[in-house]
Amino acid sequence: MSAYIIKRLLSLIPILLIASFAIFMFLRLGGTDPVTQFLLNSHIPQTPQLIAELTEEFGLNKPLLEQYIVWLGGVLKGDFGTSYMSGRDVGADFFYYLPNTLLLVFFGFLLTLMLSIPLGILSAMYEGKWLDKALQILCLVGVSVPNFWFALLLIAFFCVSLQWLPAISDGSLVSFILPTISIAFMSICINARLIRANMLQVQTQYHILYATLRDIPRYKIITKHILYNALIPIVTAFGMHIGELIGGCLLIESIFAIPGIGLYSIQAVANHDYPIIQCFVLVLCGIFTLCNILTDILYAFLDPRISKNFKGVQ
């Protein structure tokens, strides 16, 4: 098991190297000009001399490969560069805003766990009944509605009409209620449908029939036999939704004015601020990849055959 875990963790290194190179090159080859954008934002007249000076100051006059090596060397030392627009240290600002985003993602993931599992179980238990049909309609709506549009509906109802909750974040836990619901709603619906489908598939297998014939209580059959055997694909979905929730923070933080990395990065995209965009995408890739690796490790604990197969390959 330890060899399997080490191998999966070491695979993070080449993945992040490839991702960092792709991020860096796609930005440079995208046709955007951060120097021009900086001058426009600063209301400074564009002159060839000033453009040349800023291009050299930003390090954009060097060959692309040299720029990448310099940037990667800084990243390995914990230096993500300096913002073109503000002149501030990107790493310091990014990790200052990161806790708010992680808090929102944590609340969203917790809400997804708390609601999707019981909803999926109820839908499978009452297959074909009115409760199952109602939940299926709700889930269909949930996977079809964009989270930013759903967020605007929540604001219109709870903030404007009822005036129960704040529309703009003030740092309190109450102000995280609507953003949490906004980013978690789609994940809840997707996972509830997945849990229902897997449970219905597992409960048709012979060992479930034998357990039923042995008069084992229904709740034990559901929890110890059906749900446990349907768990691996469900774990996959939950692991992937962490990255999805972080990506969903981009628009949701902007709508609710939450000072997180989503709002910080959207402003960077509008300004073509390469160092901030590179930092955001690289950290996001790292978190998403790490979640997938941890999911694989959890597989090995849920199904020991995975780690045994790894030993056999070795």
Side-chain angles (χ1 to χ4, degrees), residues 71-80:
W71 173 71
L72 182 62
V75 169
L76 295 176
K77 298 175 184 177
D79 180 11
F80 288 90

Side-chain angles (χ1 to χ4, degrees), residues 35-36 38-54:
V35 173
T36 303
F38 172 79
L39 293 174
L40 288 173
N41 292 347
S42 305
H43 304 289
I44 299 174
Q46 300 180 30
T47 62
Q49 181 181 358
L50 186 56
I51 292 175
E53 290 176 358
L54 288 174

Side-chain angles (χ1 to χ4, degrees), residues 145-257:
V145 174
N147 58 8
F148 65 88
W149 190 75
F150 184 62
L152 295 176
L153 290 180
L154 293 178
I155 290 174
F157 185 70
F158 289 102
C159 304
V160 179
S161 299
L162 300 179
Q163 297 184 357
W164 286 356
L165 296 169
I168 297 177
S169 174
D170 57 5
S172 64
L173 292 179
V174 174
S175 64
F176 275 89
I177 293 176
L178 293 184
T180 299
I181 297 173
S182 300
I183 67 168
F185 185 52
M186 182 179 289
S187 296
I188 290 170
C189 296
I190 293 173
N191 287 333
R193 294 180 68 179
L194 179 63
I195 291 168
R196 175 187 182 274
N198 282 310
M199 289 189 65
L200 291 178
Q201 182 181 7
V202 171
Q203 73 179 11
T204 60
Q205 297 177 3
Y206 286 119
H207 68 280
I208 303 300
L209 175 61
Y210 296 151
T212 304
L213 294 175
R214 289 166 55 196
D215 289 330
I216 296 177
R218 183 63 178 168
Y219 76 92
K220 287 187 177 181
I221 294 176
I222 292 172
T223 56
K224 291 188 176 181
H225 297 277
I226 298 178
L227 185 59
Y228 182 82
N229 285 281
L231 203 55
I232 286 185
I234 295 170
V235 168
T236 304
F238 278 116
M240 294 183 65
H241 278 301
I242 295 177
E244 180 185 317
L245 291 171
I246 296 175
C249 289
L250 277 171
L251 291 176
I252 298 304
E253 287 180 356
S254 300
I255 292 172
F256 291 96

Side-chain angles (χ1 to χ4, degrees), residues 5 21 29 34 36 41-42 62 74 93 108 117 120-121 161 169 179 199 230 251 258 265 290 296 300 311:
I5 293 174
F21 184 78
L29 299 176
T36 303
N41 292 347
S42 305
K62 301 175 182 178
D93 284 348
I117 294 176
I121 293 173
S161 299
S169 174
M199 289 189 65
L251 291 176
I258 298 174
S265 300
L290 184 61
D296 290 345
K311 289 179 181 179

Side-chain angles (χ1 to χ4, degrees), residues 267-311:
Q267 294 171 346
V269 171
N271 294 326
H272 309 310
D273 203 335
Y274 291 169
I276 297 177
I277 301 172
Q278 290 163 186
C279 180
F280 172 76
V281 179
L282 185 62
V283 172
L284 186 62
C285 286
I287 293 174
F288 191 78
T289 307
L290 184 61
C291 289
N292 286 336
I293 290 173
L294 292 177
T295 300
D296 290 345
I297 293 172
L298 185 57
Y299 282 173
F301 284 102
L302 292 174
D303 189 350
R305 290 175 298 179
I306 297 174
S307 60
K308 287 180 180 178
N309 289 338
F310 171 74
K311 289 179 181 179

